[in-house]
Amino acid sequence: MKQERILVVTTSYPYGRNEAFIKAELEYLSQCFAQVELVPSFYPQDAAPRPTSLPVNLGYANARWGVRRSFILVSSFLGGLWRYAWLDDARRVMRGAHRWENVKELARALYRACLFERFLVEQIKHANKKIDMVYFYWMFPEIAGAIRFRDVYQPSLKVVARAHRGDLYEDKRSGGYAGLRHGVLAGIDAVFSISDHGRAYVMREHPVAARKCFTARLGVDDPGFENTQPQEEALSVVSCSFVVEEKRLHLVVEAIAHLLEEKPSLSVRWTHIGDGGLFEELRAYAQSKLGEGVPRSYLQAILRRRMS
């Protein structure tokens, strides 16, 4: 029997262009829950959402970014001071570097947690909507609010989250700290890391969550067929991602170089879909790695910028 209702908390989906992998997950969630409801944390006021048959709940985003934002921010921060355990976080922040930056991070975490808890209270007390699970697509500080809501109002509620990269690894943050992280991992019901490396990080840095952390990779459904190569001499290679360090696109260049070394007569056309701050650096690397003795027109074909 299907459970009744799950809230899927995103950064902005179905708005914007990010969080593309979530679409495949939503199809499976719809098989397990009678109602799958999207809760974006932010959405552009003048933008239309991507087409979706799922209901979109803008209650949290409107409370966080509405015209009364300053008042709500202050009141939620004050509420967070007595709702959540933050003294250990404060001691850590004051002992470490980047104190001012991390004090602001802790303050943001407190007000966002409190504001999201209030949003959930509104859902069950005033909107009269029972919730079976809250699924956070990222390791948001709002998770702390959902955990307290569960403990105070609805013990049967399950609170789970995905963990990617920038939202998981604290050492990747400029201040090296994520607000309320230890309390979140202590109280959450399950964490699903997109990689074994992320799962190992949780187990090492937060042993309290070791038994409830699992690897669940991102992906899309297998379409059941393979794309045939174009009827031309060149081998076509297509990649799609932001051009940022963690995507390691230099390995595509090195793979092409290896192919050409093994088979010098081979022609390769690499088309990359996506943009980012390292695009020109990547182009230069491809030029240096593959450019010797290769016509300029070929280089332009091997690394073409396309936006979707």
Side-chain angles (χ1 to χ4, degrees):
M1 185 176 67
K2 286 186 177 182
Q3 297 189 70
E4 185 175 345
R5 184 176 180 226
I6 181 174
L7 300 184
V8 182
V9 185
T10 68
T11 298
S12 58
Y13 188 89
Y15 293 86
R17 294 182 174 181
N18 297 333
E19 300 172 303
F21 285 107
I22 198 173
K23 183 177 179 181
E25 288 190 40
L26 295 174
E27 296 177 4
Y28 288 95
L29 290 174
S30 296
Q31 298 173 19
C32 301
F33 291 86
Q35 185 176 17
V36 179
E37 195 166 305
L38 297 170
V39 182
S41 301
F42 167 81
Y43 68 99
Q45 296 288 337
D46 57 348
R50 282 173 275 182
T52 178
S53 60
L54 301 176
V56 180
N57 189 327
L58 299 178
Y60 177 63
N62 286 336
R64 185 178 171 191
W65 300 101
V67 294
R68 299 175 63 241
R69 184 183 180 218
S70 296
F71 171 78
I72 291 175
L73 186 154
V74 172
S75 65
S76 297
F77 169 70
L78 295 175
L81 287 176
W82 66 266
R83 277 180 166 87
Y84 308 108
W86 54 271
L87 287 178
D88 286 344
D89 282 64
R91 293 188 189 100
R92 175 186 170 186
V93 165
M94 298 311 295
R95 286 196 302 263
H98 310 285
R99 291 181 185 177
W100 176 236
E101 182 177 357
N102 288 333
V103 164
K104 291 190 291 184
E105 166 67 15
L106 176 56
R108 280 193 296 267
L110 287 169
Y111 98 75
R112 288 172 61 175
C114 182
L115 185 58
F116 194 81
E117 181 184 344
R118 290 175 177 176
F119 163 74
L120 292 178
V121 171
E122 178 73 21
Q123 294 296 296
I124 65 163
K125 282 198 168 183
H126 303 291
N128 195 28
K129 295 181 177 180
K130 181 180 181 294
I131 307 167
D132 291 286
M133 181 178 291
V134 183
Y135 167 30
F136 292 87
Y137 196 64
W138 306 87
M139 290 292 294
F140 291 140
E142 283 86 344
I143 298 171
I147 291 170
R148 187 176 186 278
F149 170 86
R150 177 200 64 197
D151 294 344
V152 174
Y153 297 98
Q154 190 182 324
S156 63
L157 178 70
K158 298 298 181 184
V159 181
V160 303
R162 264 201 179 278
H164 300 250
R165 184 179 185 272
D167 59 322
L168 173 60
Y169 299 95
E170 289 190 274
D171 58 348
K172 300 301 181 184
R173 294 171 173 256
S174 57
Y177 165 72
L180 304 178
R181 176 56 52 82
H182 182 74
V184 161
L185 288 174
I188 201 168
D189 291 296
V191 178
F192 299 94
S193 170
I194 67 170
S195 69
D196 290 335
H197 189 279
R199 180 171 178 264
Y201 172 85
V202 172
M203 296 173 69
R204 181 179 69 253
E205 300 295 328
H206 301 278
V208 68
R211 294 186 177 182
K212 49 189 176 182
C213 186
F214 310 91
T215 299
R217 305 184 194 281
L218 297 175
V220 296
D221 290 330
D222 185 346
F225 63 88
E226 295 183 1
N227 288 328
T228 58
Q229 284 291 322
Q231 297 301 312
E232 55 186 49
E233 184 180 352
L235 171 67
S236 178
V237 176
V238 180
S239 55
C240 179
S241 74
F242 290 116
V243 188
V244 292
E245 180 182 1
E246 51 267 31
K247 299 304 180 182
R248 302 190 297 173
L249 290 167
H250 66 282
L251 295 179
V252 179
V253 178
E254 293 172 9
I256 294 173
H258 178 73
L259 285 173
L260 295 176
E261 182 180 343
E262 293 291 314
K263 190 176 181 181
S265 62
L266 182 68
S267 294
V268 180
R269 177 180 292 111
W270 175 23
T271 300
H272 182 74
I273 302 170
D275 207 346
L278 298 182
F279 187 89
E280 294 305 329
E281 182 178 322
L282 180 65
R283 187 197 295 275
Y285 183 65
Q287 173 81 41
S288 66
K289 192 78 173 176
L290 307 169
E292 185 176 353
V294 180
R296 179 175 176 81
S297 60
Y298 176 78
L299 280 170
Q300 291 174 344
I302 205 170
L303 182 57
R304 296 187 294 170
R305 186 197 315 242
R306 286 186 179 177
M307 298 299 294
S308 59

